[in-house]
Amino acid sequence: MGTKSGLKTRIAALAVVAGSLALACPAAPAHADDEGRRHGRPAAVGGPRLSRPGVQVRPTARAPHLPPNLSGLSWVVADAGTGQVLASKDAHRRLPPASTLKTLFAVTVLPRLPQQVLRKVSEADLADVGEGSSRVGVQAGHSYTVADLWRGVFLSSGNDAVHALAAMNGSMRTTIAQMRARARSLGAYDTRVVSADGYDAPGQVSSAYDLTLIARAGLARPDFVHYASTRYARFPTGRKADGRANGTFAIQNTNRLLVGAPGLERYRGLIGVKNGYTSHAGNTLVVAARRGGRTLLATVMNPQSGSYNAVYHEAKSLLDWGFKASGKVSAVGTLHRDRAAAAARAVRRPVHDDPATAVSQASAATVPRDRPPTAWYVSVAGTLVVGSTAWTLYARRRSLGSREY
């Protein structure tokens, strides 16, 4: 690998991320490092093994075999508590993320908007929602609370809700810039944000490693856990000036491991997180589950088997394997530390074995069912990136006409 380009920014980044000493590792695929070198990203983020091609696992003699049905182009299974990556395949491979990118949107914008603020959505707010996008049913000229819109994002994967929230956050352009900064603060250097909602856009990519990092940051927030765990809700057709709903309709979470589907049972202990699909990205899924005092994360990107619900079955298999492999495998890497959350001294709250209990605790403490909390800490991501240069704002995305959810 060349070392002349971006040398100064790499040195500065290495001063922050101690131990990333494999800059010249011949096993690291070029696609995992080219973009990062231009932006001060240390090589082999999470450890050198994660940059190697193919399946990475370090079993003991007593360890269970990895599931045989794994056809995803990239996947990761990790311990959310310790940050250890238990096994992976092409963890840093950059692929279109589809709506799993909404997890980055959430960890970026949740702290910025008070949940009970009421906004009248305009035609301009919804003008750039891509053709074929999933929608929850946000209507121009109608008013919604921030909490309404977050339910639309997490349950219905509504791109219309994302655009309304981005408008409340200043603009879509501002929100995308904030998401890029938040990705850098997390160490999600494989991620390039072009559309905040995950809609297919030229150059927009993430990786199984990055999506796992982002989901782990989300689990540190009770409001994120609350929305990601919610299976069913009522969405308003609009609200009056006093906040009362004009009417409501039922919405259901599109994460099939959370709600179940024909031939696919609800996964015991599932906390939720986010699924996605576009015709370009294929199926993508990030899930978290807790059993026996451990919380695991599994990310699967674009299964190739062609079988029905493959992304859910493969994520389920990885979670099952991860719980059985506890204490029987050595880590193949680690999840990068969230510097912004550490600097803001965000308090991690425990998540119980039963997702309903997790939501109940979060509700009692800070997230009432119908009144999620106001923003309680401010992201300082931009100030914590040492040696990184500002990412160039990419051109306005072109509609690709893909189906998306």
Side-chain angles (χ1 to χ4, degrees):
M1 297 182 192
T3 58
K4 295 180 180 179
S5 174
L7 179 59
K8 292 182 180 180
T9 53
R10 279 208 311 279
I11 292 172
L14 283 169
V16 179
V17 189
S20 296
L21 302 176
L23 286 171
C25 175
H31 67 252
D33 286 316
D34 292 346
E35 186 70 19
R37 283 206 301 271
R38 291 195 290 272
H39 300 296
R41 163 217 199 280
V45 171
R49 285 194 66 139
L50 296 183
S51 289
R52 298 176 187 173
V55 173
Q56 303 300 319
V57 63
R58 298 175 62 192
T60 67
R62 299 179 298 116
H65 293 294
L66 279 168
N69 65 333
L70 301 177
S71 68
L73 293 180
S74 176
W75 52 261
V76 164
V77 57
D79 189 305
T82 65
Q84 293 184 332
V85 178
L86 306 180
S88 69
K89 176 189 175 185
D90 294 334
H92 286 296
R93 181 172 180 174
R94 295 197 303 241
L95 295 165
S99 283
T100 52
L101 194 65
K102 288 182 171 78
T103 56
L104 178 59
F105 174 76
V107 299
T108 302
V109 179
L110 271 169
R112 299 174 181 272
L113 298 177
Q115 303 292 285
Q116 288 307 308
V117 168
L118 192 67
R119 177 183 176 88
K120 186 174 183 178
V121 175
S122 70
E123 293 280 359
D125 295 344
L126 304 177
D128 290 331
V129 177
E131 181 182 353
S133 287
S134 55
R135 298 172 182 252
V136 66
V138 175
Q139 298 294 320
H142 293 220
S143 296
Y144 306 88
T145 64
V146 168
D148 292 332
L149 296 171
W150 281 120
R151 282 186 279 272
V153 170
F154 276 89
L155 276 70
S156 298
S157 202
N159 288 5
D160 49 357
V162 169
H163 281 250
L165 286 165
M168 296 183 72
N169 190 46
S171 69
M172 180 59 74
R173 181 175 179 174
T174 295
T175 300
I176 289 172
Q178 291 169 352
M179 289 173 66
R180 292 170 179 170
R182 188 70 178 104
R184 293 195 299 274
S185 77
L186 286 166
Y189 297 107
D190 301 322
T191 299
R192 296 178 62 195
V193 182
V194 182
S195 65
D197 51 20
Y199 189 82
D200 284 339
Q204 179 155 277
V205 291
S206 189
S207 68
Y209 180 86
D210 282 11
L211 292 172
T212 308
L213 273 183
I214 294 163
R216 188 189 187 203
L219 293 181
R221 295 193 56 89
D223 45 8
F224 184 103
V225 173
H226 168 76
Y227 292 122
S229 303
T230 301
R231 300 197 304 274
Y232 308 100
R234 305 291 300 184
F235 194 81
T237 55
R239 292 189 181 272
K240 304 179 190 298
D242 62 3
R244 289 182 299 163
N246 294 322
T248 64
F249 56 91
I251 58 175
Q252 174 180 301
N253 202 305
T254 56
N255 183 342
R256 295 174 188 174
L257 282 185
L258 188 64
V259 299
L264 184 71
E265 295 183 357
R266 288 176 52 195
Y267 192 82
R268 182 171 62 86
L270 196 80
I271 300 167
V273 184
K274 193 71 190 74
N275 57 306
Y277 171 82
T278 69
S279 54
H280 180 51
N283 286 289
T284 58
L285 178 65
V286 188
V287 287
R290 187 163 180 85
R291 291 183 184 177
R294 298 181 70 213
T295 300
L296 296 186
L297 285 157
T299 299
V300 178
M301 302 188 76
N302 201 352
Q304 300 295 291
S305 71
S307 63
Y308 185 63
N309 282 334
V311 74
Y312 296 101
H313 288 293
E314 293 185 23
K316 174 184 179 295
S317 294
L318 284 171
L319 289 173
D320 286 344
W321 176 86
F323 287 120
K324 292 176 183 176
S326 176
K328 301 174 184 177
V329 296
S330 298
V332 296
T334 58
L335 297 177
H336 196 277
R337 184 168 173 262
D338 182 357
R339 298 193 302 273
R345 296 183 180 179
V347 177
R348 287 182 181 270
R349 304 183 190 278
V351 179
H352 294 282
D353 292 337
D354 181 0
T357 306
V359 174
S360 176
Q361 174 177 338
S363 299
T366 56
V367 190
R369 263 291 186 206
D370 297 319
R371 289 183 173 272
T374 58
W376 51 275
Y377 66 82
V378 178
S379 171
V380 292
T383 65
L384 297 171
V385 181
V386 179
S388 293
T389 57
W391 283 11
T392 303
L393 291 174
Y394 295 104
R396 181 179 178 184
R397 75 178 188 273
R398 301 193 302 269
S399 173
L400 302 182
S402 64
R403 298 302 301 176
E404 189 271 346
Y405 64 80

